[in-house]
Every structure is written in structure tokens, then in C-alpha cells.
Amino acid sequence: MRLFPIAAFAGAAFLLGACVNGAVSLPTVATDADNIATGLAAAAKDLRNANVLSAAQLVQLDNALSAVQAAAAAVAQATSASAAQPEVAQLAAAVNAMVAALSEVPTLPAPVPEILAAANVMLPVLESAVGLPAPAAASAAMTASEAERVLAEQAQDFRAGH
């Protein structure tokens, strides 16, 4: 299987966790998790509109997106960082499943690659915020702040029906 270029970003954001220094609050983690889920929902909509996925890839995408949304909702219900750990881990696994579902697509329409990159940058930040070990680092194409902005903008546009 060919590696999806965005997957390289998954480990990239470990360094970004140092910027946070554990100062990310649980409500911020919940908001960021929701923005990841909604941003990925926007990406799924863009992929459907571009008609670049096979029926099997659409099923994989839908399953992964459902898992992302369920994990994000569970993060929002967590009452402590330790209680959020399994949900954040599930969120990371679901995002990775979504990336894997898209790994065979030769060309993804904009802004899908940017959304996937932003989600992968934010995951280690969330993992660090709830006390989970984050993956080993590589260089990142965007900062955590940039990733947060991308996801928030995509989520806002998606909620507004754009």
C-alpha cells in the first residue's frame, strides 16, 4: 500500500505539544476534537462532491468519519483529562482510519489535504493535553495554531452549509 503523504504529519506535531506544556484545558480539548470531527465531515463532503472515491472507499470513509464523530462527542462528555484519554486515543485511531481510507486516492481535492494535515497536527496536541504519550516527531508543515485555525474555519463553513 502506498503511504498517504499526510500520514507523515501524524508524528510531526509531537513537537507542538511542547508549545502547549499541558496548559490546554479540557473544554479546549473538547472544542478541538469537535473541530477535527466537523472539519473531517467537511472533507468528506468535498470528497463526495468531487466524486473521486469508489463505493468501497466511501464506505470506509463513512465508517471512519462516524468513529471520529463518536469519539469527539465522547471527549466532550469527559469530566477529567484522565477520563478523556480513551476517547482521545479513539479519536486518533479513527482519524488514522480515515487517512488510511484515503491513502489510495491519487489526487485529493482542495482543501481536503489541508484538513487532514491540520487534524494530524492537532492529534498529538490533544494527546499531550490529556496525558497520553504522543508519537515521535518529524517536521510539521503547519503549527498547532495554524491547524486549529484551519479546522475551526472548515467547521464553521460546514456548519453554515458552505
Side-chain angles (χ1 to χ4, degrees):
M1 177 192 308
R2 185 173 41 130
L3 290 178
F4 185 67
I6 300 304
F9 291 86
F14 176 72
L15 292 176
L16 300 173
C19 299
V20 178
N21 290 327
V24 175
S25 69
L26 195 57
T28 300
V29 169
T31 298
D32 287 342
D34 181 63
N35 283 342
I36 288 171
T38 308
L40 292 175
K45 179 182 174 190
D46 291 340
L47 287 165
R48 285 188 186 290
N49 291 343
N51 200 27
V52 296
L53 301 179
S54 69
Q57 288 169 322
L58 283 171
V59 169
Q60 286 180 315
L61 179 70
D62 289 342
N63 289 341
L65 181 58
S66 292
V68 166
Q69 291 169 326
V75 168
Q77 299 300 314
T79 57
S80 68
S82 61
Q85 286 179 349
E87 285 77 13
V88 170
Q90 287 176 342
L91 179 65
V95 170
N96 289 334
M98 193 164 181
V99 169
L102 299 174
S103 67
E104 296 298 317
V105 180
T107 305
L108 296 173
V112 174
E114 183 180 37
I115 294 168
L116 293 172
N120 279 322
V121 166
M122 289 307 299
L123 285 174
V125 174
L126 298 184
E127 289 168 331
S128 293
V130 299
L132 290 172
S139 63
M142 67 177 72
T143 67
S145 295
E146 291 167 334
E148 217 169 15
R149 179 190 50 76
V150 165
L151 292 168
E153 287 173 0
Q154 290 298 322
Q156 182 179 2
D157 285 350
F158 182 77
R159 289 182 186 111
H162 297 119

